[in-house]
Amino acid sequence: MTRHSALYVGCVRHHRFRPKPHALSYRVFWMLLDLDEIDAVAGQLRLFSRNRFNLYAFRDADYGDRSGRPLKEQVAEALAAAGIDWDGGRVRLLTMPRILGYAFNPLSTYFCYGRDGALRATIYEVHNTFGEIHSYVAPAGGQAHPVRQEAQKRFHVSPFMGLAMRYAFEVDPPGERVSVAIDGHDDAGRLITTSLGGQRRALDDATLLRLLATHPLLTMKVTAAIHWNALRLLAKRIPWWAHPAPPERPFSTGRATAHDAKGPMQP
């Protein structure tokens, strides 16, 4: 049987344009986990487990409403509430695993497919460093690749950016490569651009062991990088925004945009 789960190895890039330029990039890898395959994958690997400690692990309660109830059930509820027609096909989650028991995912992306294999929607699950979580749910619109979507910002992520922003997403779903690019716009234009992209690798113990050497303590390094760059922004005297209350609803609904519209990463 063909396994849909895989690894993607690549990098994350951020660039802020105003009021002072600021950029960073770091090497990352992600697991693409088909929600129907996680137990089978964990049963075949020695270095990866579900809901128990291992070198690499996936814990259901790290995602969704963090109750630990089935994620595919939560995906179905979110898509239905957003009015997106989905027939219960495959859901594949692009995320960083727990490494030696520690996890932090600024962004995890769910790719929601119909039974015919067509991408019906994406869910962008955002975690901030204050322990809060919010998701943006957007239809894929049956578009050719890349998929383009937009959503109003509803969730506080960084104290250096307010909520009066709009996100524009441009996504190439997982294949031999995967990429997600997000532009953040305010009334003055594009404020920030973020992109992640990686090359597909086999999800096996040998590759996981190599990644431990090339990307040591990855999830801890991501958290450290976020706080280090916050200090750099403070040093640049970037304005500080107070932390608002989180949204009442666990997700916001976005929309697909025309494929000839200007997307992220363009001037």
Side-chain angles (χ1 to χ4, degrees):
M1 184 177 67
T2 302
R3 181 193 288 178
H4 300 283
S5 300
L7 292 163
Y8 284 87
V9 181
C11 66
V12 170
R13 294 185 175 91
H14 297 268
H15 190 104
R16 183 184 182 118
F17 301 98
R18 295 181 276 110
K20 296 180 181 179
H22 184 81
L24 67 133
S25 65
Y26 47 89
R27 296 185 303 157
V28 184
F29 69 87
W30 302 267
M31 283 186 172
L32 179 74
L33 294 170
D34 188 303
L35 297 187
D36 292 327
E37 291 182 352
I38 300 177
D39 286 331
V41 171
Q44 294 168 1
L45 300 179
R46 293 187 176 186
L47 301 181
F48 173 74
S49 297
R50 183 179 193 175
N51 292 328
R52 65 180 181 84
F53 182 84
N54 202 336
L55 182 60
Y56 298 92
F58 178 87
R59 190 167 75 108
D60 292 72
D62 289 336
Y63 302 90
D65 64 10
R66 294 188 280 199
S67 67
R69 66 190 179 98
L71 285 175
K72 197 167 182 180
E73 176 184 305
Q74 296 187 52
V75 166
E77 292 173 358
L79 295 179
I84 296 173
D85 183 23
W86 181 62
D87 58 8
R90 296 277 184 171
V91 178
R92 294 168 192 149
L93 173 60
L94 187 72
T95 190
M96 288 185 290
R98 283 184 170 261
I99 300 177
L100 293 173
Y102 181 80
F104 178 69
N105 273 285
L107 175 68
S108 295
T109 305
Y110 299 79
F111 297 90
C112 308
Y113 297 87
R115 295 184 185 276
D116 60 359
L119 183 67
R120 301 292 177 83
T122 52
I123 300 176
Y124 304 98
E125 184 176 288
V126 182
H127 294 239
N128 63 24
T129 55
F130 306 100
E132 298 165 340
I133 183 171
H134 188 74
S135 293
Y136 297 90
V137 183
Q143 302 178 39
H145 298 171
V147 175
R148 289 176 178 162
Q149 301 153 318
E150 65 179 18
Q152 190 67 33
K153 183 179 180 181
R154 304 292 185 192
F155 179 60
H156 181 75
V157 177
S158 166
F160 301 98
M161 287 185 291
L163 290 181
M165 291 177 59
R166 178 180 59 83
Y167 290 135
F169 303 93
E170 183 172 292
V171 182
D172 273 311
E176 285 306 306
R177 288 190 55 82
V178 65
S179 68
V180 178
I182 307 170
D183 278 358
H185 299 259
D186 61 13
D187 289 342
R190 187 169 63 163
L191 175 62
I192 190 169
T193 187
T194 299
S195 67
L196 64 86
Q199 188 76 31
R200 189 182 182 98
R201 298 285 188 270
L203 176 50
D204 55 36
D205 284 322
T207 307
L208 289 172
L209 198 58
R210 285 196 296 271
L211 288 172
L212 185 67
T214 57
H215 299 69
L217 302 177
L218 171 66
T219 48
M220 296 180 188
K221 289 175 70 174
V222 168
T223 301
I226 290 171
H227 288 95
W228 168 242
N229 279 279
L231 291 175
R232 292 175 62 197
L233 290 169
L234 278 174
K236 291 182 178 182
R237 298 186 178 181
I238 303 298
W240 180 279
W241 295 80
H243 186 166
E248 293 183 3
R249 300 181 69 200
F251 69 89
S252 303
T253 303
R255 67 182 185 93
T257 57
H259 203 263
D260 59 355
K262 186 175 78 172
M265 306 303 290
Q266 298 181 17

